[in-house]
Structures are given as C-alpha cells and as structure tokens.
Amino acid sequence: MPGTRGTRTRTALFALPLAVAGVLAAASPAGAASPAGAASRPTAPQSGANPSGESRQGAAVTCRGAGVDPRAVVRYQTETVIRAPLSTIWKLQTDVERWPSWQRPVETADRLDHGRFREGSAFHWTTPVRGVPSIPDTTLGITSTVEQLKRHSCVRWTGPAVGEGLRIDNGVHVWSFTKVRGGVLVRTAETHTGAQVEADVPTATAILGAGLKAWLSDLKVAAEARGGCRPR
C-alpha cells in the first residue's frame, strides 16, 4: 500500500531518541516526570518559535561558543542539580565505555580512539529497540565525535544514528557542568535533523525530551551514589 513503509519508519523512529533510544525498554516509563530538582524545556531555533509552537526559554547550552544546530526543528533542553562532586559527574559522563554500567538503555559503548577524552575523540554506542510496534526488534548504532570540550565544564558531540529502517542524519548534543550551591548544575540540549524526525516535529520532540530526562536521571542517581552527596 502506498505510504505504508514511510508510516512504519516514522512510527519506529519516534520511539528512538538519540539520547536514550532504549528508554522504552527501561523499567521507568518514557513519559515519567523529571527527577527532583530538574527543570526541562523544549527549545526553539535561535530565530524564534519552532513549528510545534513552543517558545524559546532559558539561556542556550554551549561549549566553547558552539551549541546545538540552529537550523534544527527537533530540539530539547533540560537540566538538573546533582549533589555530587563535579569530578565524579565528569568522570561518569566522559568514561563512555562504562556507560552501560549506569545507563540502563545503553547496551555497548566503545571508544574509537585512545587516551584521554578530548576534542576529536570518537565513540560508537548501541541501544536495543524492543517491543516497538510495526518493526522487528533491532539495535540502533550511534557514532559520536567530540567537537568541543573543556574539562570539568562542557562537552559537545555530533553524529548520526542508524538502525534497520531507522535514521537520524545528525544529532548535536551539548552538556555543561556548573558548580552551584548544593551541587552541580548539569544542563543539556540536543537537536536532531533528518527527513524521518522532521516528518512529525511535536512527536519527535516529545520523545527526544523523554530520552534526555532519562539520561539526566540516571546520571544523577549514579553520581550521587558514588559521590556520597558531597559536592566540591
């Protein structure tokens, strides 16, 4: 039937935010509320409101002057305060090969280079897709390259996400870490581009937001457990 293949592809893709594609397989529902102390917001392109009608709120998340894709219409921004040392949070976030130990939706994560995590570092990570209507179980592969990084301050990476019948042409993901009273303010923003996600901006944005909030929640739990809630 005409259009059937495209409909199935879009349905599958909207279940797969680049941030945490496997969140549907996690114990907590994708639509769960933000963790305590978190604030979240969809962000609009720099020129104004995005097609889903949400207005731009809050300062942009950037790293060394670079942010998310200003042309992208699928975007989300969220933040939380984590009561743990900055060094603990930074270690968890940048030791990508250990992501599977604390991020439930991440199945594998491998560095494609060696040495310290730096600008130019690349990594490939996978997340299983299970129980998504209209497509067989599959795995999404994401290849990310660090474009900007400032130790204990921020990191920005980009790259595509590709699976069987699924594709995000490019994702841009930015993180910032700032010491505040009572902990560390962790802010993150991400954009997706590609025909499949742009076919239904409100849905793609909502799913991306759920993935980012799940990632922050897992980071908060892991950092506070390891850091003993002793910010410094």
Side-chain angles (χ1 to χ4, degrees):
M1 294 179 61
T4 300
R5 183 176 180 181
T7 300
R8 288 180 178 176
T9 300
R10 288 195 298 271
T11 300
L13 186 64
F14 294 149
L16 303 169
L18 179 59
V20 190
V23 71
L24 294 180
S28 60
S34 303
S40 60
R41 60 185 71 86
T43 61
Q46 294 180 1
S47 58
N50 68 22
S52 61
E54 291 121 349
S55 61
R56 180 178 174 83
Q57 302 180 48
V61 183
T62 62
C63 186
R64 294 192 177 276
V68 292
D69 187 341
R71 300 163 298 178
V73 293
V74 178
R75 53 181 55 229
Y76 204 87
Q77 179 172 318
T78 188
E79 62 188 47
T80 193
V81 172
I82 299 178
R83 291 182 51 81
L86 176 55
S87 59
T88 298
I89 299 167
W90 180 260
K91 176 66 173 177
L92 282 166
Q93 188 71 329
T94 59
D95 190 359
V96 297
E97 291 185 308
R98 294 184 180 275
W99 281 0
S101 70
W102 59 270
Q103 287 198 68
R104 289 166 295 171
V106 178
E107 190 173 67
T108 66
D110 298 291
R111 283 281 299 275
L112 302 180
D113 64 323
H114 301 285
R116 62 185 176 84
F117 195 70
R118 61 193 184 279
E119 292 184 5
S121 288
F123 50 100
H124 181 80
W125 48 295
T126 62
T127 184
V129 182
R130 303 288 185 264
V132 179
S134 79
I135 65 166
D137 290 350
T138 188
T139 297
L140 190 71
I142 305 161
T143 302
S144 302
T145 301
V146 177
E147 307 289 352
Q148 285 82 24
L149 180 147
K150 183 176 181 181
R151 182 175 171 80
H152 289 177
S153 177
C154 64
V155 60
R156 175 180 179 268
W157 59 67
T158 66
V162 182
E164 183 68 30
L166 312 172
R167 182 176 181 87
I168 297 170
D169 291 348
N170 192 44
V172 180
H173 201 170
V174 191
W175 294 83
S176 72
F177 308 85
T178 307
K179 289 183 180 181
V180 296
R181 183 183 299 274
V184 176
L185 174 64
V186 180
R187 307 178 68 225
T188 185
E190 185 170 3
T191 53
H192 292 171
T193 55
Q196 291 178 316
V197 291
E198 291 164 7
D200 185 345
V201 172
T203 302
T205 301
I207 297 301
L208 172 60
L212 289 182
K213 288 188 285 185
W215 190 326
L216 266 185
S217 179
D218 283 348
L219 180 60
K220 181 180 177 71
V221 169
E224 292 183 352
R226 299 184 187 191
C229 298
R230 298 186 304 274
R232 62 175 182 269

